[in-house]
Amino acid sequence: MTITTGPPPPTRGTPVTLALRFLTGGVTGAALAALVVGVVIESVPLFVGGLALPAVHGLLVFLLGMPGRARQVVVAPRTALARIESLQAIGSESSDVPVRFDLTVAPDEGPAYRVEVTQDINLVDLSDYRPRGVVVVQYPPDRPWRARLVKRPTPEWERRAASAYLDPAPDTARVAAPLEDRAFGFVVLLGLLCGAAAVVLLFRADLLGRADPASSPSTAGPSAAATSSTTVVSSATATVALGPGRSFLDEGELDRAVASLTRNGAARQALTVVVRERLLTVVFSPTGTQTLGFAPGSLPYDRFPALVEEAAPARGAGAPRNWQVTADRLTGSLTIRVVVTGAEGSASLEANGHGTVVRRTPAR
Protein backbone atom coordinates (compact mmCIF):
# COMPACT_ATOMS: atom_id res chain seq x y z
CA MET A 1 0.00 0.00 0.00
CA THR A 2 1.35 3.40 -0.94
CA ILE A 3 1.02 5.96 1.82
CA THR A 4 1.09 9.71 1.71
CA THR A 5 3.15 11.83 4.00
CA GLY A 6 2.69 15.33 5.27
CA PRO A 7 3.77 17.52 8.11
CA PRO A 8 3.97 15.84 11.53
CA PRO A 9 0.81 15.92 13.60
CA PRO A 10 0.68 19.03 15.78
CA THR A 11 2.20 18.77 19.22
CA ARG A 12 1.58 21.17 22.03
CA GLY A 13 2.95 21.67 25.51
CA THR A 14 1.28 23.67 28.24
CA PRO A 15 2.92 26.11 30.67
CA VAL A 16 0.48 24.94 33.32
CA THR A 17 1.91 21.42 33.12
CA LEU A 18 5.45 22.77 33.43
CA ALA A 19 4.40 24.81 36.46
CA LEU A 20 2.83 21.74 38.06
CA ARG A 21 6.00 19.72 37.45
CA PHE A 22 8.10 22.49 39.01
CA LEU A 23 5.75 22.56 42.00
CA THR A 24 5.96 18.79 42.36
CA GLY A 25 9.75 18.96 42.34
CA GLY A 26 9.70 21.81 44.87
CA VAL A 27 7.39 19.90 47.20
CA THR A 28 9.55 16.78 46.95
CA GLY A 29 12.76 18.69 47.67
CA ALA A 30 11.18 20.63 50.54
CA ALA A 31 9.78 17.43 52.07
CA LEU A 32 13.12 15.59 51.92
CA ALA A 33 14.97 18.60 53.34
CA ALA A 34 12.36 18.97 56.10
CA LEU A 35 12.85 15.33 57.12
CA VAL A 36 16.64 15.69 57.29
CA VAL A 37 16.65 19.11 58.96
CA GLY A 38 13.92 18.00 61.38
CA VAL A 39 16.11 15.13 62.55
CA VAL A 40 19.23 17.31 62.82
CA ILE A 41 17.61 20.10 64.82
CA GLU A 42 15.28 17.67 66.63
CA SER A 43 12.10 19.43 65.50
CA VAL A 44 9.11 17.09 65.58
CA PRO A 45 6.72 19.55 63.80
CA LEU A 46 9.19 20.00 60.94
CA PHE A 47 9.69 16.24 60.60
CA VAL A 48 5.93 15.61 60.59
CA GLY A 49 5.50 18.42 58.06
CA GLY A 50 8.02 16.71 55.79
CA LEU A 51 5.88 13.57 55.90
CA ALA A 52 2.54 15.34 55.44
CA LEU A 53 3.52 17.77 52.65
CA PRO A 54 3.88 15.16 49.85
CA ALA A 55 0.60 13.51 50.89
CA VAL A 56 -1.32 16.79 50.73
CA HIS A 57 0.31 17.74 47.43
CA GLY A 58 -0.43 14.32 45.94
CA LEU A 59 -4.08 14.59 46.94
CA LEU A 60 -4.40 18.05 45.37
CA VAL A 61 -2.72 16.93 42.14
CA PHE A 62 -5.03 13.92 41.99
CA LEU A 63 -8.12 16.08 42.42
CA LEU A 64 -6.94 18.69 39.90
CA GLY A 65 -6.12 16.00 37.35
CA MET A 66 -9.49 14.28 37.48
CA PRO A 67 -11.07 16.35 34.64
CA GLY A 68 -8.10 15.68 32.36
CA ARG A 69 -8.16 11.96 33.09
CA ALA A 70 -11.87 11.89 32.43
CA ARG A 71 -11.33 13.50 29.02
CA GLN A 72 -8.61 10.99 28.17
CA VAL A 73 -10.93 8.12 29.00
CA VAL A 74 -13.58 9.52 26.65
CA VAL A 75 -11.11 9.90 23.75
CA ALA A 76 -10.34 6.37 22.57
CA PRO A 77 -6.84 5.63 21.26
CA ARG A 78 -6.42 5.31 17.51
CA THR A 79 -5.37 2.06 15.91
CA ALA A 80 -3.18 1.98 12.81
CA LEU A 81 -0.77 -0.18 10.84
CA ALA A 82 2.96 0.50 11.16
CA ARG A 83 6.02 -0.65 9.26
CA ILE A 84 9.13 -1.60 11.25
CA GLU A 85 12.02 0.32 9.70
CA SER A 86 14.56 -0.96 12.21
CA LEU A 87 14.71 -2.44 15.69
CA GLN A 88 17.43 -2.83 18.29
CA ALA A 89 17.41 -4.71 21.59
CA ILE A 90 19.00 -2.48 24.22
CA GLY A 91 19.71 -5.24 26.71
CA SER A 92 18.06 -6.94 29.65
CA GLU A 93 18.73 -9.85 31.97
CA SER A 94 15.02 -10.72 32.33
CA SER A 95 12.64 -12.52 29.99
CA ASP A 96 11.30 -9.17 28.69
CA VAL A 97 13.81 -7.34 26.49
CA PRO A 98 13.51 -3.57 25.91
CA VAL A 99 13.55 -3.03 22.15
CA ARG A 100 13.89 0.33 20.37
CA PHE A 101 11.66 0.44 17.24
CA ASP A 102 11.84 2.93 14.38
CA LEU A 103 8.34 2.86 12.88
CA THR A 104 6.42 4.31 10.00
CA VAL A 105 2.86 4.72 11.28
CA ALA A 106 0.15 4.85 8.61
CA PRO A 107 -3.20 6.02 10.05
CA ASP A 108 -6.32 5.33 8.01
CA GLU A 109 -7.04 9.05 8.11
CA GLY A 110 -4.18 11.50 7.89
CA PRO A 111 -0.58 11.39 6.69
CA ALA A 112 1.95 8.77 7.73
CA TYR A 113 4.73 9.70 10.08
CA ARG A 114 7.92 8.28 11.56
CA VAL A 115 8.32 7.71 15.28
CA GLU A 116 10.79 5.97 17.57
CA VAL A 117 9.39 3.98 20.50
CA THR A 118 10.85 1.64 23.11
CA GLN A 119 8.81 -1.30 24.33
CA ASP A 120 9.47 -4.49 26.29
CA ILE A 121 9.13 -7.62 24.15
CA ASN A 122 9.19 -11.15 25.53
CA LEU A 123 12.09 -13.25 24.29
CA VAL A 124 9.64 -15.84 22.94
CA ASP A 125 7.91 -13.22 20.74
CA LEU A 126 11.05 -11.36 19.66
CA SER A 127 11.36 -13.36 16.42
CA ASP A 128 7.91 -12.11 15.30
CA TYR A 129 9.30 -8.58 14.82
CA ARG A 130 11.64 -7.95 11.91
CA PRO A 131 12.56 -5.02 9.65
CA ARG A 132 9.97 -4.20 6.95
CA GLY A 133 7.37 -6.21 8.84
CA VAL A 134 3.93 -4.70 9.48
CA VAL A 135 2.51 -4.48 12.97
CA VAL A 136 -0.52 -2.93 14.65
CA VAL A 137 -0.05 0.10 16.91
CA GLN A 138 -2.23 2.32 19.06
CA TYR A 139 -1.61 5.92 20.05
CA PRO A 140 -3.49 8.82 21.67
CA PRO A 141 -4.86 11.15 18.96
CA ASP A 142 -3.19 14.19 20.56
CA ARG A 143 0.12 12.44 21.36
CA PRO A 144 1.14 10.35 18.32
CA TRP A 145 4.71 9.99 19.62
CA ARG A 146 3.34 7.67 22.32
CA ALA A 147 2.58 4.87 19.89
CA ARG A 148 2.60 1.36 21.37
CA LEU A 149 2.74 -1.97 19.57
CA VAL A 150 -0.40 -4.07 20.04
CA LYS A 151 0.87 -7.53 20.92
CA ARG A 152 -2.53 -9.24 20.54
CA PRO A 153 -4.54 -7.32 17.89
CA THR A 154 -8.10 -8.17 16.96
CA PRO A 155 -8.58 -10.73 14.16
CA GLU A 156 -9.55 -7.96 11.70
CA TRP A 157 -6.37 -5.92 12.35
CA GLU A 158 -4.31 -9.08 12.36
CA ARG A 159 -5.56 -9.93 8.84
CA ARG A 160 -4.87 -6.37 7.66
CA ALA A 161 -1.31 -6.47 9.02
CA ALA A 162 -0.65 -9.86 7.39
CA SER A 163 -1.66 -8.67 3.90
CA ALA A 164 -0.49 -5.03 3.99
CA TYR A 165 2.60 -3.50 2.46
CA LEU A 166 3.64 -0.04 3.61
CA ASP A 167 6.13 2.34 2.04
CA PRO A 168 8.57 3.98 4.46
CA ALA A 169 7.85 7.56 5.45
CA PRO A 170 10.72 10.03 5.05
CA ASP A 171 12.68 11.11 8.08
CA THR A 172 11.29 14.64 7.69
CA ALA A 173 7.91 13.28 8.81
CA ARG A 174 9.33 12.15 12.17
CA VAL A 175 7.45 13.19 15.31
CA ALA A 176 8.75 13.37 18.87
CA ALA A 177 7.67 14.69 22.22
CA PRO A 178 7.54 18.51 22.28
CA LEU A 179 10.31 20.46 23.91
CA GLU A 180 8.09 21.08 26.93
CA ASP A 181 7.75 17.33 27.50
CA ARG A 182 11.49 16.80 27.24
CA ALA A 183 12.07 19.71 29.59
CA PHE A 184 9.87 18.18 32.31
CA GLY A 185 12.78 16.29 33.86
CA PHE A 186 14.88 19.45 34.11
CA VAL A 187 11.95 21.41 35.54
CA VAL A 188 11.33 18.76 38.22
CA LEU A 189 15.02 18.72 39.15
CA LEU A 190 15.11 22.52 39.35
CA GLY A 191 12.03 22.54 41.57
CA LEU A 192 13.53 19.86 43.82
CA LEU A 193 16.71 21.89 44.32
CA CYS A 194 14.78 25.10 44.97
CA GLY A 195 12.49 23.40 47.51
CA ALA A 196 15.38 21.86 49.40
CA ALA A 197 17.34 25.11 49.39
CA ALA A 198 14.32 27.04 50.70
CA VAL A 199 13.97 24.76 53.74
CA VAL A 200 17.70 24.79 54.50
CA LEU A 201 17.87 28.59 54.26
CA LEU A 202 14.76 28.97 56.38
CA PHE A 203 16.26 26.92 59.21
CA ARG A 204 19.90 27.83 58.69
CA ALA A 205 20.10 29.53 62.09
CA ASP A 206 19.00 26.35 63.86
CA LEU A 207 21.41 24.26 61.79
CA LEU A 208 24.32 26.59 62.56
CA GLY A 209 23.33 26.54 66.21
CA ARG A 210 23.57 22.75 66.20
CA ALA A 211 26.94 22.90 64.49
CA ASP A 212 28.43 25.39 66.94
CA PRO A 213 29.00 22.89 69.79
CA ALA A 214 31.07 20.74 67.48
CA SER A 215 33.33 23.53 66.28
CA SER A 216 33.30 26.08 69.07
CA PRO A 217 36.57 26.40 70.98
CA SER A 218 34.58 26.63 74.19
CA THR A 219 33.36 23.06 73.69
CA ALA A 220 36.80 21.56 73.67
CA GLY A 221 38.08 24.07 76.23
CA PRO A 222 41.52 25.59 76.41
CA SER A 223 42.90 22.59 78.28
CA ALA A 224 42.00 20.32 75.32
CA ALA A 225 44.03 22.44 72.91
CA ALA A 226 46.91 22.66 75.35
CA THR A 227 47.09 18.86 75.79
CA SER A 228 46.92 17.93 72.08
CA SER A 229 43.49 16.34 72.12
CA THR A 230 40.50 16.86 69.82
CA THR A 231 36.96 17.08 71.17
CA VAL A 232 33.86 16.93 68.98
CA VAL A 233 30.32 17.14 70.37
CA SER A 234 27.08 16.83 68.39
CA SER A 235 23.46 16.23 69.30
CA ALA A 236 23.89 12.45 69.11
CA THR A 237 27.54 11.66 69.91
CA ALA A 238 30.68 13.06 71.49
CA THR A 239 34.30 12.01 70.96
CA VAL A 240 37.68 12.83 72.41
CA ALA A 241 40.81 11.83 70.48
CA LEU A 242 44.21 11.98 72.20
CA GLY A 243 47.43 12.96 70.50
CA PRO A 244 50.37 10.63 69.90
CA GLY A 245 52.18 9.27 72.92
CA ARG A 246 49.14 9.43 75.20
CA SER A 247 46.64 6.81 76.33
CA PHE A 248 43.33 6.74 78.16
CA LEU A 249 44.95 4.27 80.55
CA ASP A 250 47.13 7.13 81.84
CA GLU A 251 46.07 8.39 85.23
CA GLY A 252 43.32 11.02 85.10
CA GLU A 253 42.95 11.05 81.28
CA LEU A 254 39.48 9.52 81.24
CA ASP A 255 38.16 11.72 84.05
CA ARG A 256 39.36 14.87 82.28
CA ALA A 257 37.91 13.76 78.93
CA VAL A 258 34.50 12.90 80.34
CA ALA A 259 34.40 16.17 82.28
CA SER A 260 35.05 18.11 79.04
CA LEU A 261 32.21 16.29 77.28
CA THR A 262 29.61 16.77 80.02
CA ARG A 263 30.53 20.31 81.06
CA ASN A 264 27.76 21.89 78.96
CA GLY A 265 25.21 19.09 79.32
CA ALA A 266 25.77 17.18 82.53
CA ALA A 267 22.16 15.92 82.61
CA ARG A 268 22.39 14.13 79.26
CA GLN A 269 22.14 10.36 79.44
CA ALA A 270 24.44 8.05 77.50
CA LEU A 271 23.41 4.90 75.63
CA THR A 272 26.96 3.62 75.18
CA VAL A 273 30.47 4.63 76.19
CA VAL A 274 33.36 3.13 74.22
CA VAL A 275 37.01 3.65 75.21
CA ARG A 276 40.03 2.66 73.13
CA GLU A 277 43.71 3.49 73.47
CA ARG A 278 43.36 7.09 72.27
CA LEU A 279 39.65 7.47 71.43
CA LEU A 280 36.67 8.00 73.72
CA THR A 281 33.17 7.85 72.18
CA VAL A 282 29.89 8.61 73.95
CA VAL A 283 26.55 7.91 72.23
CA PHE A 284 23.82 10.01 73.87
CA SER A 285 20.18 9.01 74.34
CA PRO A 286 17.81 10.86 71.97
CA THR A 287 16.13 13.82 73.61
CA GLY A 288 12.60 13.13 74.80
CA THR A 289 12.82 9.31 74.59
CA GLN A 290 12.68 6.71 77.33
CA THR A 291 15.80 4.57 77.00
CA LEU A 292 18.07 2.63 79.32
CA GLY A 293 20.68 5.35 79.63
CA PHE A 294 23.13 6.31 82.32
CA ALA A 295 25.17 9.31 83.32
CA PRO A 296 28.52 9.27 81.49
CA GLY A 297 30.31 10.43 84.63
CA SER A 298 28.96 7.55 86.73
CA LEU A 299 31.38 4.93 85.41
CA PRO A 300 34.35 3.79 87.56
CA TYR A 301 36.96 5.14 85.18
CA ASP A 302 39.72 4.68 87.73
CA ARG A 303 39.14 0.91 87.47
CA PHE A 304 39.52 0.77 83.67
CA PRO A 305 43.35 0.38 83.60
CA ALA A 306 43.15 -2.50 86.08
CA LEU A 307 40.34 -4.17 84.15
CA VAL A 308 42.29 -3.96 80.90
CA GLU A 309 45.37 -5.39 82.61
CA GLU A 310 43.32 -8.18 84.16
CA ALA A 311 41.67 -9.11 80.84
CA ALA A 312 44.99 -9.13 78.90
CA PRO A 313 45.92 -12.59 77.51
CA ALA A 314 49.47 -12.26 78.91
CA ARG A 315 49.53 -9.98 81.94
CA GLY A 316 52.82 -8.29 82.60
CA ALA A 317 54.39 -9.54 79.38
CA GLY A 318 54.57 -6.06 77.88
CA ALA A 319 53.64 -7.38 74.44
CA PRO A 320 51.78 -5.07 72.00
CA ARG A 321 48.02 -5.34 72.40
CA ASN A 322 44.77 -3.72 71.39
CA TRP A 323 41.95 -3.16 73.85
CA GLN A 324 38.44 -1.76 74.05
CA VAL A 325 36.13 -1.04 76.97
CA THR A 326 32.37 -0.76 76.29
CA ALA A 327 29.77 0.30 78.86
CA ASP A 328 25.99 0.11 78.32
CA ARG A 329 22.69 -0.86 79.91
CA LEU A 330 21.28 -2.95 77.08
CA THR A 331 20.58 -5.85 79.47
CA GLY A 332 18.95 -3.62 82.10
CA SER A 333 21.90 -3.26 84.45
CA LEU A 334 25.08 -1.31 83.78
CA THR A 335 27.65 -3.64 82.22
CA ILE A 336 31.30 -2.99 81.41
CA ARG A 337 32.86 -5.25 78.76
CA VAL A 338 36.61 -5.36 78.21
CA VAL A 339 38.20 -7.04 75.17
CA VAL A 340 41.99 -7.28 74.85
CA THR A 341 43.76 -8.77 71.84
CA GLY A 342 47.42 -9.74 71.93
CA ALA A 343 49.86 -12.18 70.43
CA GLU A 344 48.31 -15.01 72.48
CA GLY A 345 44.79 -14.32 71.14
CA SER A 346 41.75 -12.41 72.33
CA ALA A 347 40.42 -12.46 75.90
CA SER A 348 37.56 -10.60 77.53
CA LEU A 349 35.77 -10.01 80.81
CA GLU A 350 32.59 -8.38 82.09
CA ALA A 351 32.27 -6.16 85.14
CA ASN A 352 29.35 -4.50 86.87
CA GLY A 353 28.78 -0.77 87.30
CA HIS A 354 31.21 -0.68 90.26
CA GLY A 355 34.06 -2.24 88.27
CA THR A 356 33.80 -5.67 89.93
CA VAL A 357 34.56 -8.55 87.55
CA VAL A 358 31.60 -10.94 87.17
CA ARG A 359 32.66 -13.04 84.16
CA ARG A 360 35.88 -13.89 82.30
CA THR A 361 36.55 -15.42 78.90
CA PRO A 362 40.12 -16.75 78.49
CA ALA A 363 42.25 -16.17 75.43
CA ARG A 364 41.43 -18.19 72.35
Side-chain angles (χ1 to χ4, degrees), residues 300 303-315 321-328 334-341 345-364:
R303 285 279 299 149
F304 280 20
L307 292 175
V308 171
E309 189 67 24
E310 190 170 347
R315 277 180 292 175
R321 63 193 182 191
N322 296 318
W323 59 271
Q324 176 176 301
V325 180
T326 304
D328 57 53
L334 187 58
T335 303
I336 301 172
R337 299 175 181 86
V338 183
V339 179
V340 182
T341 302
S346 178
S348 62
L349 60 79
E350 290 187 10
N352 58 24
H354 302 290
T356 303
V357 178
V358 297
R359 184 181 296 107
R360 289 184 176 86
T361 302
R364 62 182 184 276

Side-chain angles (χ1 to χ4, degrees), residues 239-266:
T239 60
V240 177
L242 297 179
R246 300 169 59 194
S247 169
F248 276 119
L249 296 182
D250 297 340
E251 185 178 357
E253 285 286 7
L254 274 172
D255 291 327
R256 286 192 294 269
V258 173
S260 69
L261 294 180
T262 59
R263 183 180 299 117
N264 297 326

Side-chain angles (χ1 to χ4, degrees), residues 1 18 31 46 86 148 155 168 173 189 191 208 232 278 286 290 364:
M1 182 175 79
L18 289 174
L46 183 59
S86 64
R148 305 293 295 173
L189 177 61
L208 293 175
V232 178
R278 290 189 293 158
Q290 298 294 329
R364 62 182 184 276

Side-chain angles (χ1 to χ4, degrees), residues 80-107:
L81 297 179
R83 168 189 164 112
I84 301 176
E85 303 298 343
S86 64
L87 70 161
Q88 178 184 4
I90 53 181
S92 176
E93 297 181 357
S94 63
S95 58
D96 290 333
V97 179
V99 180
R100 184 182 295 116
F101 292 91
D102 186 11
L103 303 174
T104 290
V105 180

Side-chain angles (χ1 to χ4, degrees), residues 273-334:
V273 173
V274 180
V275 185
R276 298 184 181 91
E277 186 73 37
R278 290 189 293 158
L279 181 65
L280 165 66
T281 304
V282 180
V283 180
F284 294 113
S285 300
T287 304
T289 60
Q290 298 294 329
T291 55
L292 294 176
F294 58 93
S298 64
L299 296 176
Y301 294 109
D302 58 333
R303 285 279 299 149
F304 280 20
L307 292 175
V308 171
E309 189 67 24
E310 190 170 347
R315 277 180 292 175
R321 63 193 182 191
N322 296 318
W323 59 271
Q324 176 176 301
V325 180
T326 304
D328 57 53
R329 288 189 61 189
L330 300 180
T331 59
S333 59
L334 187 58

Side-chain angles (χ1 to χ4, degrees), residues 16-171:
V16 175
T17 305
L18 289 174
L20 288 176
R21 294 297 178 91
F22 179 82
L23 180 61
T24 299
V27 168
T28 304
L32 293 175
L35 292 175
V36 175
V37 175
V39 171
V40 173
I41 68 175
E42 301 177 359
S43 173
V44 175
L46 183 59
F47 185 84
V48 174
L51 294 175
L53 185 60
V56 174
H57 175 73
L59 178 60
L60 292 176
V61 170
F62 175 79
L63 295 176
L64 292 175
M66 289 181 65
R69 288 191 297 272
R71 287 193 299 269
Q72 291 178 4
V73 170
V74 173
V75 179
R78 290 183 181 175
T79 305
L81 297 179
R83 168 189 164 112
I84 301 176
E85 303 298 343
S86 64
L87 70 161
Q88 178 184 4
I90 53 181
S92 176
E93 297 181 357
S94 63
S95 58
D96 290 333
V97 179
V99 180
R100 184 182 295 116
F101 292 91
D102 186 11
L103 303 174
T104 290
V105 180
D108 288 341
E109 298 178 358
Y113 64 92
R114 291 279 289 269
V115 67
E116 187 175 275
V117 300
T118 300
Q119 188 166 334
D120 289 344
I121 304 296
N122 192 278
L123 284 172
V124 177
D125 302 326
L126 193 58
S127 60
D128 297 337
Y129 302 94
R130 59 192 182 280
R132 296 182 297 280
V134 178
V135 293
V136 180
V137 298
Q138 286 186 336
Y139 60 89
D142 58 340
R143 296 185 298 277
W145 59 88
R146 292 190 178 180
R148 305 293 295 173
L149 277 69
V150 180
K151 298 180 181 179
R152 299 291 182 265
T154 62
E156 178 185 356
W157 280 101
E158 193 170 6
R159 287 193 299 268
R160 290 185 59 181
S163 60
Y165 173 80
L166 304 179
D167 292 329
D171 201 62

